[in-house]
Amino acid sequence: METNVLRKHFDYLIQCTEKLQLSKHVFERYKNHYEEIFLYCSENHLDIFTHQDAAVYCKMKCPSRKEFAVRETTKIAYTVAGYFVDGCFAWKAVTFPRYPVCSAYETLMDEFRQELLKKLGPGTPTPPLAWILHCICSGES
């Protein structure tokens, strides 16, 4: 998908969220999350953003965020995934399914991620890490 087409989808999501009449401060935080996911999609050449992509994205972003930001990141990631999967914007209270993996496998993934980060050079962009995590999640499913 062209970046312009992807941009239009994200602009639509931002407009829909703006219509919810959230406080200005909250809306700006959500808008920033949308922009981060748009950049993630662009950098990783994703035409769509699925629930599996949301799981990988949250796995990468959430460890470095505070609790309220984790909830916001997860909310927006799964809202975007729902939009791309279902074709419509839905803002609702949802439970965010974690990608189904056993705890031993999740521990292994965390250890692998930490080990991989040690081997990548400082300043290495995260897309290779995202590709590897996405591949691991795909293999598990």
Side-chain angles (χ1 to χ4, degrees), residues 5 26 30 46 60 135:
V5 174
V26 170
Y30 285 151
L46 298 176
M60 288 179 51
C135 182

Side-chain angles (χ1 to χ4, degrees), residues 37-100:
I37 295 170
F38 170 75
L39 289 174
Y40 173 82
C41 289
S42 297
E43 290 170 356
N44 291 288
H45 310 289
L46 298 176
D47 293 340
I48 62 169
F49 190 76
T50 65
H51 289 94
Q52 184 175 346
D53 295 321
V56 171
Y57 176 80
C58 290
K59 187 84 170 151
M60 288 179 51
K61 293 291 183 177
C62 290
S64 64
R65 299 201 170 169
K66 296 184 181 188
E67 184 60 32
F68 78 91
V70 168
R71 286 191 307 268
E72 287 181 357
T73 300
T74 306
K75 166 81 175 170
I76 296 301
Y78 281 92
T79 297
V80 171
Y83 168 75
F84 277 101
V85 171
D86 301 332
C88 63
F89 174 79
W91 189 266
K92 57 187 174 189
V94 291
T95 55
F96 306 110
R98 296 190 63 208
Y99 210 62

